[in-house]
Amino acid sequence: MSDPMRPRASLRTAVVWDVLEDALERQVKAVGRESLDVLDTGGGSGNFAVPVARLGHHVTVVDPSPNALFALERRAAEAGVAERVRGVQGDAHGLFDVVGRGEYDAVLCHGVLEYVDDPAEGLRNLVGALRDTGTLSLLAAGLGGAVVARALAGHFAEARHALTDQAGRWGEGDPVPRRFGVEQLTGYVEDCGMRIGAVHGVRVFADLVPGVLVDTEPGALDALLQLEAAVAELPAFHAVATQLHVLGEKFAEQSG
């Protein structure tokens, strides 16, 4: 399936989508069912939920915003997958007030851990929603990318502050409540009893390249997408990625 996002937006999503699509294909083979039950926490208006539903899976989106859920409903209808997408209002800490435990084959946690009070607890809840065999797609803000971005913008004191701040924030005006390193994220996943399937750096260069260059230079977008894909799995570039993507895998023999 081709990338479901608009070309410019694909710079932010292409790597994650490719990894997720492959993971869902493996999960289909593992469980022996063509249609998976997928939980998308903080899924908002359906940037991933709708494309996942287009693959034939059933997706439950949990999000605290009524406006986002309304947009999700409209988007799913326009894509012709309304019967496979369900939106419910809630969050990670109160997850089991709105969904059941052990009912999903895959859980998406994209841009959620930055905002929960206790990331470890929030992630444990999400993993608790998985069946005995399941996949976790975890996407969170990377510390190194913020440091590089602030430094390149000339805000050297803020870049240094982010390095020493417990939450990885560069100052009071930082809109992101929390950032993570690779070891921290993979540690959270392993503490939940899951195996690390893969780690990818996301938006290593995309946020640093002038948008006008990507939009106007012939072939620049495709070349940048290819570059992002080439460096995504290289550990040396994880340290400077804007976001980090961790794929966790749960197997039946691990449960209990």
Side-chain angles (χ1 to χ4, degrees):
M1 179 179 176
S2 61
D3 190 277
M5 314 303 175
R6 294 186 302 275
R8 190 70 175 87
S10 67
L11 283 172
R12 296 174 177 268
T13 60
V15 168
V16 179
W17 174 252
D18 288 344
V19 174
L20 178 60
E21 188 174 14
D22 288 344
L24 293 176
E25 288 180 3
R26 292 195 301 272
Q27 190 67 13
V28 163
K29 295 177 181 177
V31 303
R33 286 183 282 106
E34 289 296 323
S35 179
L36 301 175
D37 294 311
V38 179
L39 176 64
D40 186 358
T41 59
S45 61
N47 285 340
F48 282 90
V50 169
V52 168
R54 288 175 60 198
L55 294 176
H57 306 304
H58 290 84
V59 187
T60 298
V61 176
V62 176
D63 196 281
S65 169
N67 290 337
L69 294 174
F70 177 78
L72 167 71
E73 183 179 356
R74 182 176 57 192
R75 188 173 190 169
E78 291 173 351
V81 294
E83 73 282 0
R84 292 198 294 271
V85 177
R86 178 174 73 103
V88 293
Q89 191 172 0
D91 57 33
H93 285 301
L95 185 65
F96 299 119
D97 293 334
V98 294
V99 302
R101 295 180 183 271
E103 293 186 352
Y104 297 91
D105 302 295
V107 169
L108 279 55
C109 178
H110 296 170
V112 173
L113 285 197
E114 297 93 326
Y115 297 94
V116 299
D117 293 334
D118 186 337
E121 179 189 349
L123 194 59
R124 282 194 298 270
N125 278 350
L126 300 184
V127 173
L130 285 171
R131 294 186 169 116
D132 287 345
T133 298
T135 297
L136 169 72
S137 176
L138 174 62
L139 182 67
L143 172 61
V147 173
V148 171
R150 298 316 287 174
L152 290 180
H155 303 298
F156 307 120
E158 292 179 349
R160 184 179 178 185
H161 185 276
L163 279 174
T164 57
D165 183 70
Q166 186 174 5
R169 304 181 75 235
W170 47 256
E172 291 297 324
D174 193 337
V176 179
R178 189 179 290 106
R179 295 187 178 85
F180 306 89
V182 172
E183 290 185 1
Q184 189 176 14
L185 284 181
T186 55
Y188 285 151
V189 174
E190 289 174 333
D191 286 346
C192 291
M194 303 194 78
R195 189 186 75 179
I196 304 300
V199 178
H200 294 84
V202 180
R203 289 156 57 188
V204 175
F205 302 110
D207 293 346
L208 304 177
V209 176
V212 64
L213 186 155
V214 177
D215 293 334
T216 60
E217 186 72 19
L221 177 60
D222 287 340
L224 182 53
L225 283 168
Q226 292 174 22
L227 177 61
E228 289 281 352
V231 302
E233 291 189 73
L234 301 178
F237 291 93
H238 295 168
V240 294
T242 299
Q243 292 180 308
L244 297 168
H245 183 247
V246 178
L247 193 69
E249 299 174 333
K250 180 181 179 183
F251 300 98
E253 60 266 28
Q254 289 180 292
S255 62

